[in-house]
Amino acid sequence: VPGTTTVISGETIRDLGMLSLADVFRLVPGMTVASVGSNQPVVSYHGTVAYEQRRLQVLIDGRTGYQPSLADVDWNAMPVPLELIDRIEVSRGPNSAAYGNNAFLASINIITLSPENTAGTGLSFQGGDHGVRNYTAYHGHADDDYSWRVAWQNRQSDGFDFQRDSDSNFAKEPIRDGFEFNQFYYDGMLQLLPQHSVTFRAGVTDGIDEDPNKLGEDFGVQGDPDEEVRDYYLQARYGFTGVTNHLIEFQTSFQRYNRHQSWTSCVDLDGTSSTPCVLMDLNQHLTQQRLEFELQDTWEMTPDVRLVSGLGYRNDGYE
């Protein structure tokens, strides 16, 4: 099927001074980028609903990157440092359905730099309006047999300055909708033999996503019910080129998203202010995970004809 693909290089992203991953997609024709629920970015192709954009396939180095529950994307906590992006490929239109689950509108493939291309040490800092600050550091080594990289990123935002409260004549009211995440990454490439290669990736995200009282006054929330983010992923890929004109690849990945949110509510049982309220400890803890296995064979029949075939297993879980 003829298709339209936009390729955005990492150099372009860095030269334009992009501060967030979601902003990169403003460069793609037909893409809509906005914020909902205050400081939560959403990305869509020819936009549909504003909340829970769930019709985009998002891949990070071949690993599915959207949430297992509602199939939306947490762009703020996405484990992709802008400094380490090689390129982003966006396939738009109905041809994107070839990428499988969730690829109804478009498919986004984020490809990071190989450890071979980032040998040595790198440090970077970005800052902008609304208290946006990005700190990135990495160190790696490359040789013929084994290349590796460890990286750390601290990502912060103070969010918007205020909100308009419809209950107070749309007066300016303070709002807490910032975030701060610490992310750690490891990427390794091992060339066991000329025909065998192994790639291993792992990452951890730890931080706080402030809640602008989305729970509402009906719950009588006391204090700040911020969301604690504890995510991690593991990914491994094996490649074999020992069969003539064939590239055989096996990939597996496991991801877990832990979002803990707890608070104390002062519940007015009879609907009047004449009696004391009842204090209750409540929580909205969410745990999501995904396990994937994929086997793929690329057969180059002639220099002009290739056959790509494969099979996969996938298990998504949500509590």
Side-chain angles (χ1 to χ4, degrees):
V1 178
T4 303
T5 301
T6 297
V7 180
I8 305 170
S9 69
E11 290 82 358
T12 299
I13 296 170
R14 292 181 281 275
D15 288 346
L16 292 175
M18 298 287 186
L19 292 176
S20 70
L21 184 60
D23 283 340
V24 174
F25 302 101
R26 299 183 187 275
L27 304 176
V28 182
M31 279 282 184
T32 302
V33 180
S35 295
V36 298
S38 188
N39 199 24
Q40 185 66 35
V42 293
V43 176
S44 179
Y45 181 61
H46 288 310
T48 51
V49 297
Y51 286 87
E52 279 82 43
Q53 289 289 348
R54 54 188 179 274
R55 296 175 177 88
L56 291 176
Q57 165 67 295
V58 179
L59 300 171
I60 308 169
D61 293 317
R63 183 182 72 256
T64 305
Y66 60 84
Q67 302 285 317
S69 57
L70 296 175
D72 58 340
V73 182
D74 188 348
W75 292 105
N76 283 337
M78 186 71 76
V80 181
L82 297 179
E83 289 294 320
L84 296 178
I85 291 178
D86 181 23
R87 66 188 185 277
I88 298 178
E89 300 173 352
V90 182
S91 297
R92 298 175 278 130
N95 64 296
S96 66
Y99 287 85
N101 291 354
N102 222 44
F104 294 104
L105 298 178
S107 178
I108 297 173
N109 188 17
I110 303 170
I111 301 169
T112 61
L113 288 165
S114 167
E116 297 174 341
N117 298 326
T118 57
T121 302
L123 299 170
S124 71
F125 166 75
Q126 290 179 301
D129 291 342
H130 305 299
V132 173
R133 295 171 295 278
N134 295 329
Y135 304 88
T136 306
Y138 65 86
H139 178 75
H141 177 74
D143 57 35
D144 294 339
D145 299 326
Y146 179 53
S147 301
W148 58 271
R149 177 182 65 230
V150 291
W152 162 81
Q153 181 176 58
N154 177 274
R155 188 179 303 151
Q156 305 176 34
S157 172
D158 292 341
F160 289 102
D161 297 331
F162 59 86
Q163 63 180 338
R164 297 284 185 177
D165 190 348
S166 59
D167 296 331
S168 306
N169 252 348
F170 293 96
K172 292 183 180 180
E173 297 287 345
I175 185 173
R176 298 181 70 260
D177 62 348
F179 61 82
E180 180 176 359
F181 301 120
N182 280 295
Q183 298 178 318
F184 302 89
Y185 314 91
Y186 171 81
D187 297 82
M189 299 180 66
L190 180 63
Q191 191 73 36
L192 299 172
L193 294 169
Q195 298 173 343
H196 304 265
S197 64
V198 176
T199 302
F200 181 78
R201 306 179 191 274
V204 176
T205 298
D206 181 272
I208 295 292
D209 193 1
E210 294 179 354
D211 191 316
N213 201 13
K214 290 183 293 186
L215 298 169
E217 296 180 357
D218 294 339
F219 285 92
V221 175
Q222 308 292 301
D224 301 318
D226 295 335
E227 188 176 64
E228 298 179 5
V229 177
R230 304 285 188 273
D231 300 345
Y232 68 86
Y233 68 86
L234 300 169
Q235 178 182 2
R237 176 183 294 177
Y238 167 72
F240 178 66
T241 57
V243 180
T244 304
N245 297 330
H246 283 265
L247 168 61
I248 301 172
E249 294 177 290
F250 174 77
Q251 176 176 282
T252 183
S253 65
F254 178 79
Q255 301 172 78
R256 189 174 181 91
Y257 306 88
N258 297 307
R259 308 300 167 92
H260 288 177
Q261 189 175 23
S262 58
W263 65 91
T264 299
S265 284
C266 186
V267 182
D268 189 356
L269 296 181
D270 60 5
T272 67
S273 58
S274 59
T275 59
C277 61
V278 177
L279 292 177
M280 299 182 178
D281 291 328
L282 305 174
N283 73 74
Q284 182 174 270
H285 295 339
L286 306 178
T287 300
Q288 307 176 55
Q289 64 185 35
R290 175 183 291 121
L291 175 65
E292 290 184 291
F293 296 95
E294 296 181 7
L295 178 64
Q296 179 175 288
D297 173 61
T298 304
W299 177 20
E300 185 176 349
M301 301 179 185
T302 71
D304 299 321
V305 179
R306 293 180 181 179
L307 175 65
V308 180
S309 56
L311 55 88
Y313 169 81
R314 166 178 170 149
N315 182 287
D316 286 354
Y318 170 76
E319 290 185 30

